[in-house]
Amino acid sequence: VDERSQVKASHSKLAKSFLELYTSFQEVQQNALRAQQASPSPSRTRRPGPESPSQHLLEPYVDEEALVQDQRFADVEARLEVASGMVFDREEDIRRIEQDIGQVNEMFQDLAQAVSDQGLVIDLFHSFKQTTLNKTSTRRVV
């Protein structure tokens, strides 16, 4: 029972962690989408002619923001990978526990069959004893 509550607690903790990671991933994804929609496409920005001086000033900030978002996305992906690995490991542990429980069940069934068989043998010996006792006691009386 204690092990089962530990498994439930760890499953709950893992689910909560996964939900937090998923929420964080969604936020990063939405921020990346907004940044992509806000930035002009390369075909629109490349016009023949002189570029404005302010455009050169803004490029490092846009690139830095994209790098930060990429890093956040990579962090979220790494967390999700770790969490999915943990989920996989837990599922494997649960499968092993289920197999062990099945084996214990088989052992108890075998034990029950052995006890039943021994009970029949004991009853048979008791019957033989009674028959022998009855036959010997009738022969003494004669």
Side-chain angles (χ1 to χ4, degrees):
V1 176
D2 184 38
E3 186 176 326
R4 183 178 282 169
S5 64
Q6 287 177 346
V7 169
K8 284 184 180 180
S10 62
H11 184 269
S12 175
K13 186 191 278 186
L14 184 61
K16 183 179 178 183
S17 174
F18 180 76
L19 184 59
E20 289 172 358
L21 288 172
Y22 182 71
T23 303
S24 177
F25 172 75
Q26 284 182 330
E27 290 173 5
V28 169
Q29 190 177 25
Q30 289 172 357
N31 289 339
L33 181 63
R34 282 189 214 114
Q36 184 180 11
Q37 289 173 346
S39 68
S41 69
S43 62
R44 285 187 261 162
T45 57
R46 307 237 176 201
R47 293 183 197 156
E51 294 181 356
S52 68
S54 63
Q55 188 174 8
H56 289 292
L57 296 174
L58 292 177
E59 281 181 9
Y61 295 109
V62 172
D63 289 340
E64 186 177 318
E65 183 179 328
L67 288 174
V68 168
Q69 288 179 350
D70 287 345
Q71 182 61 39
R72 287 181 186 163
F73 183 73
D75 290 344
V76 168
E77 281 184 330
R79 288 182 196 165
L80 284 174
E81 188 174 323
V82 168
S84 65
M86 289 172 62
V87 167
F88 179 77
D89 290 344
R90 298 218 185 243
E91 287 176 352
E92 286 295 315
D93 290 342
I94 289 170
R95 281 190 204 104
R96 275 189 235 119
I97 289 170
E98 287 175 346
Q99 288 175 349
D100 291 345
I101 289 172
Q103 290 173 349
V104 168
N105 185 29
E106 288 177 18
M107 289 190 303
F108 273 110
Q109 288 176 353
D110 293 343
L111 180 63
Q113 183 63 39
V115 167
S116 175
D117 292 345
Q118 288 177 354
L120 292 174
V121 170
I122 290 172
D123 289 344
L124 187 61
F125 284 146
H126 182 67
S127 172
F128 288 154
K129 182 185 112 186
Q130 285 295 71
T131 303
T132 305
L133 183 64
N134 289 340
K135 285 182 179 181
T136 56
S137 61
T138 57
R139 290 189 184 196
R140 288 185 185 167
V141 174
V142 176

